[in-house]
Amino acid sequence: MTAMVGSHGFVKAYSTSPRSVRVVSRSRQWSVWLRTRTPLDFCVAFVALSCCVLGLRFLASLLLSESASSYLAWSYEADSTGSDNAFGTHRVPVSRIPLSALQQDGGGDDSIRGVRLWNDTRDPSIHIFAYHPRQRGRLRSVDHLWQSLSSCPFSRPANITTAHAQASLTAAMQRKEAVRGAIKHAWLAYQKYAFGHDTLQPLTKSYSDSMHLAETLVSSLDTLKLSGLEEEYKMARAWVQTNFSLRQDVVVSTFRLCTKILGGFLGAYDVTADYLYLQRSLEVASILTQALDTVHNIAYSTMNLRTLQGEYLSWSPGNVVLAEAGGLGLELMFLSRISQNSTLSDLAFKSIMQIHSQNALRTSLYSTVLDGRYGRPVNDDRCFGAHTDAFYANLLKMWLSSDKSQKLYHKMFIEAVQEMVQLFVQRSSASGLYYISGTETKYHVDQSTCFWPGLLALAHRTKGLTWRGSELLVLAKELLYTCYAMHVGSISGLAPALVELKFAVVANDITVASAGDSHWKLRSELAESLYQMYVTTRDPLYREWGWDLFQAILKHTKLDEGFAEARDVNQLPVPLDDKMNSDLLSKTLKYLYLLFDIAIHETHVFSFDGHPFRLPY
């Protein structure tokens, strides 16, 4: 029998027999055996070694505590001047509330919420970055993160006066109409040149098809209904009733089939209660059940709609990315509830359980690529952007959709948030911007991670943050500010796909990571997070940031007919690509419209592609 004598961060001591004690390093790179001749000698050695181990542990804790305290004391001393230089001399401008009514209360600049970011001190040196992914041992403490957040401007309640709230409400009514006009402008161009096809090509006034399922039309149904475009909605519904068909010899992405087509029909059913969309949803779900009909319910990456033959990744044969394998559950759960067919939600649960049980990374995070047969990690790469975003976002929403009864989903979400903070949250020493790094070894910020501030705000609002709830809301506000800064920090006001935050005071702390990362594809996680944060806090500042985003979209991507994706956001005039992504209508403009309307928020969650699903409570 083996009994552990004691341990600390570097060594462990075991008693393996009545006359031997073994000291083993935490990394198991070395060990020492102590052998005794009599039981009395063993007892003496046992007690002595235990005292030594405990003493070493106590000494190590003192040293670590002292070094951390000195580090923090130095950091705050360097930042105690309260001047703008503490944040960096080249700061990203922060949008103020540009309404004359806000100045009428005579409160001065400090009464304007946005200006506070210019007057607060920030710690220029602390940046959170944890161990190498292969390093063993416990995750280090991030107490200094909470201490640095406690002094940031977003940690204090917003000073929202009656004049602020009234001015924001008046502006929101006008701005909602402006966004509705943009939705109609985009839809009419699609209706004129690409009706019944997947995507509009606005420059050539043509169309393109990848799924041949009218992706833009189906994913825009709930947007048209929510924004009050009744005539346009009726025309789209008529097409769905008479022309939509899955009987095509075409290979489609299983993930896109679920999130865009099934999600579009479910969102339309939610806001209309029209049985037609439930019927179409069940038709799509029949194909998804075939995709999940594998040995361990890990969905195929692609499916042939006619033959129902599935395949895994073409670029990684036999494997599937995490977002595809675990990102189908929310739609299936909602359909299971409204159709009263528990088989669908059971399939989703089995898929998540398989991924969870096969995770061999010794953490609560999951590999970006999984084995298609068993759901085992193929590599130890972990991130929170592309390839994983839908999986982590759905965990919280699936817990809410289960009436908070599926505790596993909530547990997985909280554990993922904990490790995200400990491994991926960093802070630029040049500007003080908090951000989620693209990987554990790079200082890159992927725009696709900008859904996290909104997700944390949703978790806070629904009592889902059972760990560091108030601090995480402050962190979410800081992360959202960084996402906003990625937009206003570019020449066009649109964020590139990937940026690099430097760790020195330079002319511009935010730069495009590489030449191929400067595009913007009309999909904005920033809009989603702004909506969720405003609903949570009711701070007019987030409406102002959303209006800035909308203005940039109109200025640089709007055409005479439709909108086009930006090829390079750091050139003027912005060069455009010949494509209007369906995400513009299904997600970006919908969230901006709801930001100024917030008609549904307490009773719904939104899917990965922005479709509203009513909660069961």
Side-chain angles (χ1 to χ4, degrees):
M1 180 180 297
T2 300
M4 189 171 70
V5 177
S7 70
H8 63 81
F10 303 101
V11 300
K12 290 183 178 180
Y14 296 90
S15 171
T16 57
S17 71
R19 296 189 179 184
S20 64
V21 177
R22 184 186 183 194
V23 180
V24 186
S25 72
R26 177 67 68 108
S27 61
R28 297 188 180 274
Q29 295 177 346
W30 57 266
S31 63
V32 176
W33 284 92
L34 302 177
R35 299 186 182 276
T36 60
R37 295 183 178 181
T38 67
L40 180 60
D41 293 339
F42 168 76
C43 292
V44 173
F46 188 94
V47 173
L49 187 57
S50 298
C51 293
C52 289
V53 170
L54 293 175
L56 286 173
R57 182 176 182 178
F58 178 71
L59 180 61
S61 65
L62 285 179
L63 291 175
L64 292 175
S65 175
E66 181 180 355
S67 61
S69 300
S70 300
Y71 173 61
L72 288 172
W74 178 85
S75 300
Y76 285 108
E77 182 180 359
D79 194 31
S80 61
T81 61
S83 65
D84 287 344
N85 291 332
F87 188 79
T89 55
H90 303 280
R91 302 177 57 178
V92 178
V94 177
S95 175
R96 309 182 183 191
I97 299 179
L99 301 171
S100 59
L102 297 187
Q103 306 287 350
Q104 294 175 1
D105 60 353
D109 283 348
D110 287 340
S111 65
I112 301 177
R113 177 69 176 93
V115 182
R116 289 167 138 202
L117 294 176
W118 292 94
N119 300 328
D120 281 43
T121 60
R122 287 181 178 243
D123 179 359
S125 59
I126 294 180
H127 55 278
I128 312 304
F129 194 64
Y131 61 43
H132 187 275
R134 296 183 183 274
Q135 179 177 339
R136 298 188 180 186
R138 295 181 53 138
L139 298 176
R140 62 162 179 75
S141 170
V142 289
D143 288 343
H144 56 299
L145 170 62
W146 312 126
Q147 294 187 41
S148 65
L149 283 172
S150 67
S151 64
C152 77
F154 287 112
S155 65
R156 297 192 295 276
N159 181 23
I160 305 173
T161 66
T162 303
H164 292 179
Q166 185 59 44
S168 176
L169 179 61
T170 303
M173 296 173 64
Q174 301 171 351
R175 292 171 177 181
K176 182 177 71 172
E177 294 303 317
V179 178
R180 178 189 278 121
I183 294 173
K184 186 174 183 177
H185 179 81
W187 173 260
L188 290 179
Y190 169 79
Q191 180 179 291
K192 184 176 181 179
Y193 298 108
F195 194 69
H197 296 277
D198 284 341
T199 308
L200 169 68
Q201 293 180 322
L203 299 181
T204 58
K205 296 181 171 56
S206 182
Y207 59 83
S208 62
D209 285 302
S210 58
M211 293 196 295
H212 299 270
L213 295 175
E215 176 186 319
T216 297
L217 186 150
V218 174
S219 60
S220 300
L221 288 167
D222 50 16
T223 302
L224 296 174
K225 189 66 176 179
L226 287 170
S227 59
L229 298 176
E230 291 294 335
E231 293 300 321
E232 292 77 8
Y233 163 75
K234 290 178 181 178
M235 184 174 293
R237 185 197 180 280
W239 188 94
V240 170
Q241 185 175 18
T242 58
N243 297 98
F244 182 81
S245 174
L246 293 169
R247 299 175 183 176
Q248 304 181 61
D249 188 15
V250 59
V251 176
V252 301
S253 162
T254 304
F255 179 70
R256 291 172 67 85
L257 180 66
C258 179
T259 59
K260 294 188 174 295
I261 306 303
L262 177 58
F265 285 138
L266 291 176
Y269 176 79
D270 183 271
V271 299
T272 64
D274 191 331
Y275 180 76
L276 169 66
Y277 301 125
L278 178 58
Q279 183 182 8
R280 291 289 184 260
S281 297
L282 292 172
E283 293 172 5
V284 177
S286 66
I287 296 178
L288 294 176
T289 55
Q290 292 293 321
L292 285 163
D293 187 19
T294 59
V295 177
H296 295 289
N297 301 114
I298 304 298
Y300 289 112
S301 297
T302 61
M303 289 290 292
N304 185 294
L305 295 181
R306 176 170 293 177
T307 65
L308 299 183
Q309 295 296 313
E311 298 289 342
Y312 287 113
L313 294 174
S314 58
W315 51 270
S316 183
N319 299 323
V320 62
V321 299
L322 179 62
E324 295 176 352
L328 313 181
L330 182 61
E331 287 81 1
L332 293 177
M333 283 185 66
F334 183 64
L335 179 57
S336 178
R337 175 154 51 87
I338 63 177
S339 65
Q340 298 182 350
N341 181 0
S342 61
T343 302
L344 299 172
S345 60
D346 290 344
L347 283 173
F349 182 76
K350 290 177 182 178
S351 177
I352 299 294
M353 276 297 298
Q354 182 66 20
I355 296 172
H356 179 66
S357 64
Q358 295 297 316
N359 185 26
L361 295 183
R362 300 187 179 213
T363 73
S364 300
L365 305 182
Y366 300 84
S367 170
T368 56
V369 181
L370 306 174
D371 167 54
R373 183 176 178 84
Y374 298 102
R376 296 169 180 166
V378 172
N379 53 42
D380 61 359
D381 292 337
R382 295 171 286 174
C383 70
F384 282 94
H387 299 323
T388 66
D389 41 11
F391 175 77
Y392 293 116
N394 278 2
L395 289 176
L396 173 69
K397 298 171 185 177
M398 290 168 69
W399 173 65
L400 295 174
S401 296
S402 70
D403 201 6
K404 301 184 179 181
S405 62
Q406 291 286 2
K407 304 299 183 182
L408 174 65
Y409 298 146
H410 183 251
K411 177 177 179 290
M412 293 171 66
F413 172 74
I414 292 298
E415 290 177 347
V417 169
Q418 289 175 335
E419 295 210 25
M420 176 187 73
V421 170
Q422 292 170 320
L423 294 177
F424 289 85
V425 173
Q426 301 189 49
R427 193 182 191 194
S428 169
S429 57
S431 63
L433 294 174
Y434 293 83
Y435 65 98
I436 300 173
S437 177
T439 67
E440 291 173 292
T441 56
K442 293 182 179 179
Y443 303 121
H444 290 172
V445 188
D446 190 338
Q447 186 189 166
S448 64
T449 63
C450 286
F451 75 92
W452 270 102
L455 189 65
L456 293 175
L458 172 64
H460 185 272
R461 191 170 71 248
T462 55
K463 312 300 182 185
L465 287 181
T466 55
W467 176 77
R468 295 282 188 177
S470 58
E471 293 97 331
L472 283 176
L473 181 61
V474 177
L475 176 61
K477 294 177 182 180
E478 286 289 332
L479 294 173
L480 182 54
Y481 173 55
T482 300
C483 293
Y484 172 71
M486 289 169 60
H487 280 265
V488 298
S490 72
I491 296 175
S492 63
L494 299 172
L498 194 67
V499 302
E500 180 178 0
L501 285 173
K502 293 182 173 61
F503 279 80
V505 177
V506 292
N508 186 3
D509 186 45
I510 300 178
T511 60
V512 178
S514 63
D517 298 320
S518 58
H519 56 272
W520 190 71
K521 296 185 175 295
L522 300 176
R523 178 187 178 98
S524 177
E525 279 72 19
L526 174 63
E528 175 183 1
S529 286
L530 288 172
Y531 166 73
Q532 293 290 1
M533 190 63 75
Y534 176 77
V535 170
T536 301
T537 66
R538 301 304 175 99
D539 189 339
L541 176 65
Y542 301 113
R543 279 181 164 174
E544 296 308 312
W545 292 1
W547 183 246
D548 289 344
L549 171 62
F550 179 67
Q551 296 277 58
I553 294 173
L554 290 184
K555 183 176 182 180
H556 298 292
T557 68
K558 184 180 179 182
L559 304 172
D560 292 338
E561 293 183 293
F563 293 79
E565 297 178 0
R567 187 186 312 149
D568 189 344
V569 299
N570 280 321
Q571 287 187 29
L572 289 180
V574 175
L576 301 175
D577 286 328
D578 192 19
K579 184 178 181 180
M580 189 179 81
N581 196 321
S582 64
D583 291 327
L584 175 70
L585 284 167
S586 69
K587 193 166 186 177
T588 303
L589 292 181
K590 178 190 295 174
Y591 279 122
L592 289 174
Y593 180 84
L594 293 175
L595 176 63
F596 301 113
D597 183 73
I598 62 168
I600 54 175
H601 57 277
E602 296 292 347
T603 57
H604 288 72
V605 292
F606 289 84
S607 70
F608 180 70
D609 272 303
H611 302 295
F613 299 158
R614 191 176 301 273
L615 293 170
Y617 55 89

